[in-house]
Amino acid sequence: MSITTMWKNSSEGSDRLEYLQNLVTEFQDTDNEEAKEQVLANLANFAYDPKNMEYLRELQVLDLFLDMLTEENENFVEFGIGGLCNLSVDPECRDTILHNSGISLVTNCLSSQREETVLSAITTLMNLTTPLSRAEITDPAILQCMLRFSLSESPRLRNLAGVFLQDCCAKEQVAQTEQEMHGQQTAVGIPLAEGEISATLSPSVHSLHCG
Amino acid sequence: MALPSNNKMSCWAAPGVYKHHEQRKVCISRPKYRDGRKDKAVKVYTINLESRYVMVQGVPAIGVMTELVQLCALYGVVEEYRPLDEYPAEEFTEVYLIKFQKLTSARAAKRNMDEKSFYGGVLHMCYVPEYESVEDTRLKLLDRRRYIMRAAQNKARERKTKEDGEEKPTTSNTDRQSNMTLSQSHEMPRNDNNTGGNSNFNYYSDFTLLPLPPQEQHYHMGQQGTELREDKMGTLHNAVSNTNQQSEYNSVSQTSSENIQKNRQQRPTQNQTPMVRFVPRTTQLEKRKHRKEEAAGQTLTDLSEVNETLIGPKLPEPPKIDMEDESMNTTVCLIRNTMKRVSSYQIFLWQFRATLSHQVSSVSINTDSFLLGWISS
C-alpha cells in the first residue's frame, strides 16, 4: 500500500469519528425535534456499517439508542430500535446492550403500534440471544407474544416470529406455551387495522412485562 | 394502506400495498454539514427491510419486460420475475416483481435503478420482504450475522497484528507517520500504551484488511466511489445512500475514493465473487450484441443461450402490441426498434465504462506497487 493511501485512510478514520461526534453533539444540543429525528436516523443507518460500530460504541451511541426506547415520540423509538437492531449483531455491542438491561427495554417495543418497531425488536432479541441471556429472552410471556405474531396477517411479522420460535427456543418450550395458550388464541383471521399489529394481541400481551 | 385479502403472501399471490413500498418525501431541512448530494427521505434501513425481492414500479407499458430483466441482470443473477398485474399502478405503467439470487444484487439494482429513466418512464424500486419465505428470512439474517462476525474477527486480528508489530517500533514507520498530517483528535483506548504516532498508524491498518466490496460495485467505479463506499459491508448499503452522508467524506478528500478502490482490490474476498467473474458477463453481452448485428433475424429468446448468467425460464418473445390500426402499429414498431437500439448502446456504454474503470484501477494498483518498491528501495 502506498504512503498516500495510508495517509488517506487514517485521515478518513479520524474524519469519520469526528463526523459521528458532530452528529451526536447536534442531537444532544438541539431542541428541534425534527433535527433530532434526522440525526437519529443518520446514526441508525451508520450503525449498519461494521466499520462505524467501533466509533459508535465509543461515542456511547448505544446508550443513546437505548434511551430512545422510552420516548413518547414514536419516530424516536422506531429509529432507536432500528439502530440497536443494526448494532446488536456485533458481539461487543451485544454485550454492552445486555449489560445495560437492554432485554427489558427491547421487549417493551414488542407492544408498539408500528410494525417496523416490532420487527426491529424481534430481530434485536434474536441478536441478543446468548447462552446466558436465553432464559430471559425465552420468557413465557415473550413466547406467547411470538406465537401470536406467528399467526399475524403480516408476512414479515409471521416470518420473523417463526424464525425466533424455531432458532431461539426449544421445541418443548414452544409446545408448552402453545398448550397454555390453547383456547386463548384470537389472532387467526383477524385482519390488521391499518397496519397496526397490536389489534391481534390479547390484553395480557399488551401489558407484557419482562425482566 | 391496503392489506392483502388472502392470508398467505407467496410469490404468486395477490400483492398488497405496504407502507414501505411508498416513496416518502425527501428531507429538505438538513444543515449543510450533513446534507448529501442527493436529497433523501428520513428513513432507517435494517436487515428486515431489505430483501432479495424487489418491486419495480413505473415501467412503461410498452412491452419492455425483457429489457427490464436484462437491466436487472447487470447487477446480479435474476432467479425469478413476473409482472404484478394486481398491484395498483399509474396509468400506462406496469409493476414487476424481481427476485435476485443475492441480497447484494438487489441492493445494487435498487441503488442504481431507483429514480432512473427507463424507456421514457421513471422507475421506482423498493424491497418487498413480504414475499420471502421463513427460510429466506432466516438465511438473510444468517448472512448478515456471518458478515458482521467476519468483520469483527478481521478487526480483532488486525488489532493483534498491530499490537505485535508495535512491540518492535521501526525508524521507517516513525518517519512515515511524521510526514503524515494526521489528526490527533481521536484517542483509541487500545493504544494507551503506544505513542501518538503509532496510534494513528492503526487507523489505516484497520481499513486495509476490510473485505472487498461485492462484485456489483465494479460497474459503478466511475461514480466517485460513492457506491463503493456504501458497499463495504459486503453488500450495498442502501441505508447509507439514503442519507448520503458518505458524500461528506468524499468532499474531505477528493482522491481518497480512488485509493479506497485500490485498497479494496488488494484486500482478499471472503464471501464475494472474485473480480475476474465480471469479465465473462461483460464479454457475453458484447458477444450477444455482436451476434445481433450479424444475424438481423435473431430474437430475444436466443439470449438465454449466450447469457449464461441469467437463470430462470426462457424469455418469452416480445409481445406484439396491436393498436388496432395499421399506421399506429407501424409507429409502435418504429419506436420499439429505436428504443432497443438506444438501450443496446446504453448497455454497451455501461460495460465500456465498467471495463475502463477496471483497467484504470489495475493501472493504479501497478503504479502503487511501483511507488512502494521505489520508496522502500
Side-chain angles (χ1 to χ4, degrees):
Chain A
M1 182 193 302
S2 68
I3 290 179
T4 49
T5 307
M6 293 191 302
W7 181 85
K8 296 298 179 188
N9 281 336
S10 57
S11 170
E12 183 206 354
S14 55
D15 287 338
R16 185 180 290 265
L17 179 71
E18 198 178 324
Y19 184 82
L20 292 172
Q21 173 72 73
N22 288 339
L23 287 179
V24 174
T25 305
E26 184 187 349
F27 184 86
Q28 289 167 340
D29 293 348
T30 187
D31 293 325
N32 185 329
E33 196 126 304
E34 193 185 343
K36 274 176 148 30
E37 286 179 11
Q38 292 168 14
V39 171
L40 195 56
N42 283 356
L43 289 170
N45 285 326
F46 272 122
Y48 195 93
D49 188 346
K51 196 199 263 193
N52 298 319
M53 288 179 180
E54 184 188 350
Y55 299 131
L56 292 172
R57 269 201 316 273
E58 225 171 293
L59 295 169
Q60 298 180 319
V61 172
L62 274 170
D63 294 325
L64 193 152
F65 286 153
L66 284 167
D67 288 342
M68 293 300 104
L69 302 189
T70 49
E71 287 282 329
E72 293 285 330
N73 184 331
E74 287 187 334
N75 284 336
F76 282 359
V77 178
E78 181 179 331
F79 298 161
I81 190 67
L84 287 176
C85 176
N86 288 337
L87 280 175
S88 57
V89 196
D90 177 64
E92 292 189 42
C93 292
R94 175 197 67 201
D95 294 339
T96 307
I97 297 170
L98 288 170
H99 288 142
N100 286 288
S101 308
I103 294 177
S104 58
L105 290 168
V106 172
T107 304
N108 290 337
C109 292
L110 294 175
S111 306
S112 171
Q113 306 283 332
R114 292 203 180 175
E115 190 177 40
E116 290 301 330
T117 301
V118 175
L119 293 170
S120 297
I122 297 174
T123 309
T124 308
L125 283 177
M126 284 196 276
N127 294 336
L128 293 177
T129 304
T130 63
L132 290 174
S133 67
R134 188 180 294 271
E136 191 179 352
I137 286 177
T138 55
D139 184 89
I142 298 179
L143 285 192
Q144 285 186 15
C145 182
M146 294 297 175
L147 279 166
R148 286 185 170 81
F149 285 158
S150 67
L151 301 171
S152 168
E153 282 275 335
S154 165
R156 290 202 289 160
L157 202 50
R158 273 205 310 273
N159 288 347
L160 262 185
V163 174
F164 180 94
L165 290 168
Q166 289 168 23
D167 293 1
C168 297
C169 313
K171 283 183 183 172
E172 303 79 28
Q173 249 182 321
V174 177
Q176 191 181 352
T177 310
E178 264 181 316
Q179 278 183 355
E180 288 168 10
M181 283 175 63
H182 186 68
Q184 295 176 23
Q185 290 181 9
T186 55
V188 180
I190 296 176
L192 292 169
E194 294 182 356
E196 295 177 359
I197 47 92
S198 58
T200 64
L201 305 179
S202 71
S204 61
V205 178
H206 261 296
S207 58
L208 185 70
H209 291 295
C210 194
Chain B
M1 175 174 89
L3 291 167
S5 54
N6 49 342
N7 285 339
K8 193 174 177 183
M9 174 65 71
S10 70
C11 189
W12 310 106
V17 181
Y18 290 92
K19 241 182 197 173
H20 55 271
H21 297 178
E22 295 164 6
Q23 206 168 14
R24 297 191 189 178
K25 288 180 187 169
V26 294
C27 175
I28 55 172
S29 61
R30 288 199 170 100
K32 204 173 178 185
Y33 87 94
R34 56 181 174 86
D35 196 13
R37 270 182 278 176
K38 196 179 171 190
D39 287 333
K40 301 278 184 180
V42 180
K43 190 172 178 178
V44 171
Y45 276 86
T46 64
I47 191 64
N48 297 322
L49 205 54
E50 296 181 324
S51 175
R52 297 192 289 146
Y53 292 87
V54 173
M55 184 167 65
V56 189
Q57 297 169 273
V59 182
I62 53 172
V64 289
M65 181 176 75
T66 305
E67 287 79 359
L68 177 71
V69 174
Q70 287 172 1
L71 181 58
C72 292
L74 287 178
Y75 303 104
V77 175
V78 174
E79 283 190 351
E80 294 170 24
Y81 57 91
R82 76 169 182 109
L84 293 176
D85 297 324
E86 306 84 5
Y87 197 90
E90 286 179 17
E91 213 175 1
F92 306 121
T93 66
E94 294 172 327
V95 180
Y96 288 89
L97 173 71
I98 307 283
K99 181 187 175 186
F100 287 93
Q101 193 182 57
K102 294 182 183 178
L103 179 58
T104 54
S105 311
R107 277 195 199 146
K110 183 184 182 320
R111 195 184 56 235
N112 292 288
M113 290 170 60
D114 193 25
E115 296 291 297
K116 288 296 189 297
S117 173
F118 181 75
Y119 283 90
V122 177
L123 300 179
H124 168 50
M125 313 259 303
C126 62
Y127 298 110
V128 281
E130 53 270 20
Y131 285 97
E132 289 175 356
S133 63
V134 177
E135 197 54 36
D136 285 336
T137 305
R138 175 187 283 111
L139 286 174
K140 183 177 71 172
L141 296 174
L142 202 60
D143 280 345
R144 164 86 178 148
R145 204 166 292 151
R146 277 184 192 146
Y147 175 74
I148 301 294
M149 290 297 182
R150 212 162 44 239
Q153 281 166 10
N154 284 342
K155 215 161 201 179
R157 206 178 303 133
E158 279 312 300
R159 217 176 286 170
K160 197 183 172 201
T161 312
K162 286 309 129 203
E163 283 168 9
D164 291 343
E166 279 153 12
E167 288 173 3
K168 309 172 192 176
T170 60
T171 315
S172 60
N173 281 344
T174 313
D175 287 343
R176 280 181 197 170
Q177 288 152 28
S178 65
N179 288 333
M180 299 181 212
T181 55
L182 299 171
S183 167
Q184 303 289 326
S185 61
H186 176 55
E187 295 175 3
M188 299 177 72
R190 64 171 180 269
N191 294 326
D192 284 345
N193 296 328
N194 300 327
T195 63
N198 284 337
S199 68
N200 288 317
F201 185 83
N202 289 324
Y203 273 94
Y204 66 81
S205 310
D206 285 339
F207 292 112
T208 53
L209 294 184
L210 280 175
L212 271 176
Q215 59 186 0
E216 291 84 0
Q217 295 180 42
H218 291 276
Y219 285 114
H220 315 294
M221 277 181 185
Q223 300 185 24
Q224 298 302 319
T226 308
E227 285 76 15
L228 284 169
R229 202 177 293 277
E230 295 164 5
D231 291 339
K232 276 186 285 196
M233 287 160 284
T235 50
L236 297 168
H237 183 202
N238 198 53
V240 174
S241 69
N242 201 26
T243 59
N244 210 12
Q245 297 301 337
Q246 296 292 0
S247 61
E248 295 287 333
Y249 296 113
N250 283 335
S251 64
V252 169
S253 173
Q254 291 296 325
T255 56
S256 64
S257 59
E258 296 163 21
N259 292 324
I260 287 164
Q261 291 176 27
K262 294 173 213 165
N263 286 339
R264 290 192 183 128
Q265 287 163 3
Q266 291 166 3
R267 292 179 207 134
T269 54
Q270 295 200 13
N271 205 23
Q272 304 298 333
T273 319
M275 244 162 51
V276 71
R277 197 168 159 196
F278 272 109
V279 177
R281 187 180 295 150
T282 307
T283 307
Q284 284 171 13
L285 287 171
E286 280 178 349
K287 275 186 189 166
R288 188 185 69 195
K289 183 178 177 292
H290 218 46
R291 285 182 203 174
K292 254 189 180 175
E293 288 165 2
E294 284 172 4
Q298 190 173 7
T299 66
L300 287 169
T301 52
D302 294 339
L303 289 174
S304 59
E305 296 165 14
V306 296
N307 189 2
E308 296 165 4
T309 57
L310 187 64
I311 296 174
K314 198 174 176 183
L315 291 173
E317 290 198 14
K320 306 285 182 217
I321 301 171
D322 183 12
M323 306 296 285
E324 295 178 4
D325 180 78
E326 196 178 334
S327 62
M328 293 284 278
N329 284 339
T330 311
T331 308
V332 164
C333 288
L334 279 172
I335 293 170
R336 282 205 74 218
N337 291 337
T338 309
M339 297 296 271
K340 268 186 212 171
R341 279 201 297 274
V342 168
S343 71
S344 66
Y345 281 129
Q346 260 186 344
I347 290 169
F348 174 72
L349 280 173
W350 284 329
Q351 292 151 16
F352 178 73
R353 192 169 62 180
T355 311
L356 193 64
S357 303
H358 170 65
Q359 287 168 358
V360 166
S361 306
S362 305
V363 168
S364 303
I365 290 168
N366 292 336
T367 311
D368 271 349
S369 308
F370 171 74
L371 280 175
L372 194 63
W374 179 75
I375 288 163
S376 56
S377 64

